[in-house]
Amino acid sequence: MTQMELIAPCHFGMEAVLKREILDLGYEIAKVEDGKVTFIADAAGIALSNVFLRTPERILLKAGEFKAVTFDELFEKTKALPWENYIPKDGKFWVAKANSVKSALFSPSDIQSIMKKAIVERLKGVYGISWFPEDGASFPIRVAFMKDVATIGIDTSGVSLHKRGYRQMTVKAPITETLASALIMLTPWNKDRILVDPFCGSGTFPIEAAMMAADMAPGMNRSFLAEDWKHLVPRRFWYDAVEEANDRVNLNIETDIQGYDIDPEALKAARFNAREAGVDKLIHFQQRAVKDLRHPKPYGFLITNPPYGERLEEKAALPQLYREIGESFRRLDKWSMYLITSYDRAENDIGRKADKNRKIYNGMLKTYYYQFLGPKPPRRNQ
C-alpha cells in the first residue's frame, strides 16, 4: 500500500506526547519540530490517526515542501507538485490558511491567491479543462513558511480534532480537549489512580481522563473531511477504524475521577458534556470550593486549570485562591498536583516550588504547567 507523509500539528511543548501516541498507533516518525510531528503512514493511517489520536489539532496529508523567496518561485514550485494525485476533477480546493515565520514571503492573502492560481494551472493541464465545477469533496490546503521553506498539507480532518462532539455546553475559559489530554498524558496517572479536578468548569479534564480509562477513541463519534476522499481513502478504512474503536470501549471499570466547581452552571455543563461523551457513570461531579477539598485515600492526582485572572476584577482574588489551593494540597496524603496557569506568582502563593515546570502556549497565552510530585505508591504484590 502507498506510503505517505502525514503532519500532525499540536500545542507547542506537546510534541513528545504526540510522538508517543503515533508510535503506539504503529507508525514511523519522520520528523519532530516545534508544534508538529510528521509521520509515515498508509491510507488506512489517515482514518486511524483521526479517530484514535488524542493530542493533535488536525491531520494533514503532506503534498510537498520547497524553498521559495519570490512569488514567481512559489508559483512555479507549487505548480510542479502532483496535485492530480490528490484532487479529482470535481474537487473543491482552496488555500485555507497560510502562515509565515522568518521568511521573505509573509503576506497570507498573496501566498493564498498565488498558490491557488498555480494549482488551477497544473490541474488544467492534467485534466484538459479550463473550468472546474468544484462541487465534489473538499480539499482545504494549508501552507506554513519557516525560514523560506514552505510545507504544504491538505487537511484531512476538517473541524479541529479538539471538537470531539461531546462539548455542547461550555463555561468561560475552557481548556481544549486536545490540550487537556496532552496534559494528563504528561503525568503518570492511569485508570487505577484517583484524579480530582477542583476547577472542572465544563468538565474537560475529568471527561478526557474517563475516555482514556474506558479506552474510548476521541474521534469515534464525529466525522472527518477525508471520509469523502474515496479515491484516496476507501470507505472501508473508516468503517474499520470506527469498528475497532467500538470494540475497544470498556465502561465496566472502577474509576475514582472527580470534578468539583463552585459554580452550579459549570457543573450543569460538565454533567451534560459527560453524558454526551458517554462517560458520566465514570465521573463524580460535585459543587465544592477548593478550600473544602478532601479525599481519604493517598497517592491521588490533582490535575486542574484554575482561574488565571485575565480580567482585572479577578486578579485581586488570585493570591487568596492560590493559597487555598496550596493549603488543600498539603492536606492530601502523598498526592501529586499538576496545574496549568498563566498566573506568575502561583508557586509563591501555593507555598511550594514546583518540582517541574513546563512552558506551554494555550492559544496565544503563555502558560506554565506546574508539576508538584508526590511519592510513588508502593508496588502491589502480583
Side-chain angles (χ1 to χ4, degrees):
M1 202 174 281
T2 308
Q3 297 290 291
M4 54 189 86
E5 282 190 282
L6 301 179
I7 303 167
C10 64
H11 279 88
F12 282 89
M14 293 301 163
E15 300 83 3
V17 179
L18 174 55
K19 177 185 171 183
R20 192 169 74 231
E21 269 205 289
I22 292 166
L23 290 171
D24 287 347
L25 205 55
Y27 294 111
E28 178 194 338
I29 304 294
K31 194 162 41 168
V32 179
E33 300 164 275
D34 285 346
K36 66 181 177 187
V37 179
T38 304
F39 62 104
I40 312 296
D42 51 18
I46 291 178
L48 289 167
S49 56
N50 272 296
V51 171
F52 284 100
L53 293 179
R54 297 183 190 278
T55 61
E57 291 304 305
R58 58 188 66 250
I59 303 296
L60 306 174
L61 170 55
K62 187 173 175 181
E65 188 169 276
F66 53 73
K67 185 172 184 178
V69 294
T70 67
F71 285 123
D72 282 346
E73 207 175 358
L74 176 64
F75 181 90
E76 293 303 332
K77 288 184 175 177
T78 300
K79 187 181 169 188
L81 295 175
W83 291 103
E84 63 279 6
N85 291 354
Y86 313 112
I87 303 171
K89 247 184 217 182
D90 65 347
K92 181 182 180 185
F93 59 97
W94 70 102
V95 183
K97 187 164 186 189
N99 59 35
S100 175
V101 178
K102 298 178 183 169
S103 300
L105 302 179
F106 57 83
S107 161
S109 57
D110 289 338
I111 292 167
Q112 286 167 292
S113 65
I114 282 160
M115 286 183 69
K116 167 81 179 190
K117 281 178 192 149
I119 299 165
V120 167
E121 284 305 305
R122 167 83 186 199
L123 294 179
K124 267 174 152 176
V126 173
Y127 292 135
I129 53 177
S130 58
W131 180 81
F132 293 89
E134 297 203 46
D135 55 3
S138 291
F139 297 84
I141 296 153
R142 292 177 164 241
V143 57
F145 270 89
M146 170 58 82
K147 294 180 181 170
D148 297 322
V149 175
T151 304
I152 300 161
I154 309 171
D155 182 12
T156 73
S157 305
V159 174
S160 170
L161 292 181
H162 80 267
K163 303 239 179 192
R164 318 287 208 213
Y166 68 73
R167 197 160 78 181
Q168 307 297 321
M169 293 179 74
T170 59
V171 291
K172 65 185 178 184
I175 195 163
T176 66
E177 294 85 332
T178 44
L179 181 55
S181 272
L183 294 175
I184 295 168
M185 287 182 189
L186 278 174
T187 79
W189 178 81
N190 64 58
K191 67 178 185 291
D192 300 323
R193 307 280 296 271
I194 304 156
L195 186 150
V196 175
D197 179 359
F199 299 94
C200 73
S202 54
T204 311
F205 272 130
I207 293 168
E208 290 295 318
M211 288 173 73
M212 287 179 204
D215 200 5
M216 187 180 283
M220 63 186 282
N221 292 317
R222 54 158 286 173
S223 58
F224 307 95
L225 261 191
E227 287 178 52
D228 294 329
W229 301 1
K230 297 180 185 72
H231 61 302
L232 281 176
V233 192
R235 292 292 292 183
R236 74 173 189 280
F237 291 154
W238 295 101
Y239 296 139
D240 290 349
V242 172
E243 188 178 351
E244 183 187 337
N246 278 308
D247 287 346
R248 280 169 53 170
V249 175
N250 178 14
L251 292 166
N252 298 317
I253 51 171
E254 292 291 319
T255 57
D256 190 345
I257 300 171
Q258 304 184 30
Y260 301 140
D261 208 285
I262 201 164
D263 177 5
E265 284 304 307
L267 290 167
K268 184 176 161 189
R271 288 189 180 106
F272 178 87
N273 293 337
R275 276 195 303 276
E276 288 293 297
V279 293
D280 49 314
K281 305 251 185 325
L282 302 180
I283 309 168
H284 172 68
F285 289 109
Q286 190 178 351
Q287 187 174 353
R288 186 185 283 196
V290 70
K291 64 182 169 55
D292 300 323
L293 180 59
R294 304 275 192 286
H295 201 291
K297 292 181 181 170
Y299 303 111
F301 288 79
L302 287 182
I303 305 179
T304 192
N305 174 38
Y308 304 169
E310 291 307 300
R311 296 195 189 90
L312 276 174
E313 67 270 20
E314 292 169 351
K315 265 207 163 36
L318 287 188
Q320 175 63 24
L321 182 68
Y322 281 76
R323 278 197 292 273
E324 288 172 359
I325 293 171
E327 286 160 12
S328 289
F329 178 50
R330 282 189 288 279
R331 279 198 304 269
L332 296 164
D333 183 21
K334 302 183 186 70
W335 279 47
S336 300
M337 176 164 69
Y338 296 80
L339 179 146
I340 183 170
T341 181
S342 66
Y343 178 49
D344 55 8
R345 291 185 56 80
E347 289 171 301
N348 184 72
D349 292 336
I350 285 167
R352 174 178 159 183
K353 188 164 173 48
D355 299 289
K356 290 184 182 173
N357 179 5
R358 185 184 282 249
K359 191 193 297 177
I360 291 163
Y361 282 88
N362 186 3
M364 295 307 292
L365 187 67
K366 184 168 77 173
T367 61
Y368 293 94
Y369 193 39
Y370 293 109
Q371 301 167 55
F372 301 88
L373 308 179
K376 288 180 181 173
R379 282 181 173 274
R380 288 182 185 164
N381 291 327
Q382 293 300 315

